[in-house]
Amino acid sequence: MRERLTPYLRTLAEKSPAVAQQHIKSELEEYDSRSFLVDPLAEDTNEVVKGLVHKYDNRALVKATLRCAAHCRFCTRFRQIGSPEGDLSKRDIENIGNYISDHPEIDDVILSGGDPLYVPKTTMDVLETLRPIDSIKVFRIGTRLPVHNPWSFDTPLLQKTVELIDDMGKERPFFVLMNFQHPDELTEDTLKVVKMLRRTSATLLSQTVFLKDINNSTEVLGKLFRGLYHNGVIPYYIYRCDYAQGVERFVCDIKEEQKIMTELRSTLSGIAYPTYVVDLPGHGKVPVPLGYWDGVDLSHARDFKGQEVQI
Ligand SMILES: *Cc1c(COP(=O)(O)O)cnc(C)c1O
Ligand code: SF4
């Protein structure tokens, strides 16, 4: 994955080591152990038609693109980001629509990527294609654009996209899931975007990844979650960093993560407190138990089917 930052992010990275570490390419990436997986979430095997991942029965993930405004060095899709291969043609979008129409058990569609808001034309096409499908009860879009390039929300194309989200959100629930890792990302410019999105009918949620030496502290994460909550964003998930090739240096000690999440539980409202999960390769997102109970072994977990998995 090549280095890519927006001018906005470059300026922020000069002031914030946390932002720099997340986005400036490091030579350490080359030394990661090869035991780490190229496709840790086994998404490729669940890609039913181009751009559509159908892993959970009722939920489907549309990969609208593999491009992003900037590249995060901890990205799960480390080996794919920036590639034109993820671009969707009109035909691909039609196929996705047809598959979802043919599978009425899918009631929840998540636009992901890459960053769907980085390709607003494609995203509007996908949304317009899926909008008439009544079996879809909930829409979501995952994005990091408010952090990577808040200025881009002033462009007519993104304004149109936000208007479409607002319109569709009046018909059925629409969630905008923003990716935030550190309180330094909550700048005036980014919070302006959050405020603008809050005026739409969408519900704002956030996702965070535990990153070693960047946010693995009770103080930093407490400040982040409180900051999000105070600005109307509900922290949804915090993930253990995936075992993807190239991101090994970011993976934290799971016992330390558990300790932080346990400490945070006593200082944050339940609304400001995300679910702490590990996305087990091929098994899905399994919640990690907090330290309120004795005798829990964190080296193994059981997935949703009861199968034992090594952490
Ligand atoms: C995370 C994920 C979802 C959504 O999971 P929720 O727990 O409903 O947020 C759906 N499909 C895939 C492939 C995912 O990785
Ligand atoms: S914005 Fe998301 S998909 Fe893009 S590089 Fe960052 S984490 Fe990966």
Side-chain angles (χ1 to χ4, degrees):
M1 185 169 63
R2 79 190 165 77
E3 184 178 280
R4 184 172 163 85
L5 286 89
T6 59
Y8 163 83
L9 205 59
R10 221 168 256 292
T11 310
L12 187 58
E14 278 163 21
K15 286 181 285 188
S16 162
V19 170
Q21 273 171 277
Q22 288 181 65
H23 297 98
I24 306 283
K25 196 170 164 67
S26 156
E27 61 196 30
L28 292 172
E29 290 169 13
E30 301 306 320
Y31 299 111
D32 278 3
S33 99
R34 298 297 106 179
S35 64
F36 275 52
L37 302 165
V38 176
D39 177 24
L41 305 182
E43 280 182 352
D44 293 349
T45 50
N46 289 300
E47 193 158 332
V48 285
V49 298
K50 185 176 175 196
L52 187 69
V53 178
H54 189 195
K55 184 154 110 179
Y56 303 111
D57 230 20
N58 69 319
R59 285 155 287 170
L61 199 91
V62 178
K63 288 209 254 176
T65 175
L66 288 173
R67 303 174 195 264
C68 305
H71 294 171
C72 314
R73 307 319 299 175
F74 57 84
C75 183
T76 277
R77 308 200 171 102
F78 190 90
R79 301 279 148 185
Q80 303 171 318
I81 292 302
S83 160
E85 277 168 37
D87 295 351
L88 300 182
S89 66
K90 286 259 182 221
R91 189 50 166 300
D92 295 329
I93 295 172
E94 263 171 44
N95 290 342
I96 289 172
N98 290 339
Y99 181 93
I100 295 177
S101 294
D102 290 344
H103 290 80
E105 73 273 19
I106 298 173
D107 60 13
D108 189 348
V109 172
I110 305 149
L111 270 68
S112 170
D115 195 326
L117 292 188
Y118 182 61
V119 292
K121 268 196 192 137
T122 304
T123 290
M124 282 192 280
D125 261 0
V126 171
L127 288 176
E128 293 288 13
T129 303
L130 301 183
R131 191 175 186 174
I133 304 174
D134 286 331
S135 44
I136 305 174
K137 303 301 177 198
V138 173
F139 282 105
R140 318 185 212 174
I141 279 191
T143 183
R144 189 153 158 79
L145 201 59
V147 172
H148 282 164
N149 192 2
W151 302 337
S152 63
F153 284 83
D154 290 335
T155 61
L157 212 51
L158 262 176
Q159 281 177 358
K160 248 179 92 183
T161 314
V162 171
E163 271 169 39
L164 179 60
I165 291 173
D166 182 38
D167 277 353
M168 288 178 65
K170 287 171 185 150
E171 299 163 2
R172 59 202 130 173
F174 204 119
F175 295 90
V176 176
L177 269 148
M178 292 170 284
N179 198 308
F180 287 104
Q181 323 302 337
H182 194 279
D184 286 0
E185 296 164 11
L186 301 176
T187 63
E188 208 175 295
D189 288 333
T190 293
L191 290 177
K192 216 176 103 196
V193 173
V194 169
K195 210 170 194 170
M196 180 275 292
L197 290 172
R198 236 160 64 72
R199 285 196 292 268
T200 70
S201 59
T203 304
L204 308 187
L205 305 174
S206 73
Q207 316 196 76
T208 302
V209 181
F210 259 113
L211 298 173
K212 192 150 100 190
D213 299 332
I214 295 175
N215 66 9
N216 56 334
S217 95
T218 306
E219 194 202 334
V220 169
L221 285 178
K223 195 172 166 198
L224 175 65
F225 298 145
R226 222 169 277 120
L228 290 167
Y229 182 40
H230 292 172
N231 284 283
V233 181
I234 302 169
Y236 176 44
Y237 273 138
I238 179 161
Y239 299 92
R240 179 160 167 72
C241 190
D242 286 323
Y243 297 170
Q245 260 183 31
V247 311
E248 193 171 350
R249 70 189 181 287
F250 291 119
V251 178
C252 308
D253 176 39
I254 190 165
K255 289 212 178 83
E256 193 196 342
E257 292 178 352
Q258 188 208 37
K259 184 166 169 278
I260 293 167
M261 291 312 290
T262 305
E263 280 171 9
L264 282 174
R265 189 56 271 231
S266 64
T267 64
L268 291 170
S269 155
I271 305 171
Y273 186 84
T275 303
Y276 166 36
V277 294
V278 44
D279 211 342
L280 297 168
H283 297 267
K285 299 177 184 72
V286 173
V288 182
L290 299 181
Y292 294 106
W293 307 85
D294 291 332
V296 177
D297 176 6
L298 291 179
S299 65
H300 291 81
R302 282 191 194 280
D303 70 8
F304 297 135
K305 292 182 182 127
Q307 198 182 332
E308 196 168 314
V309 190
Q310 190 109 22
I311 300 293

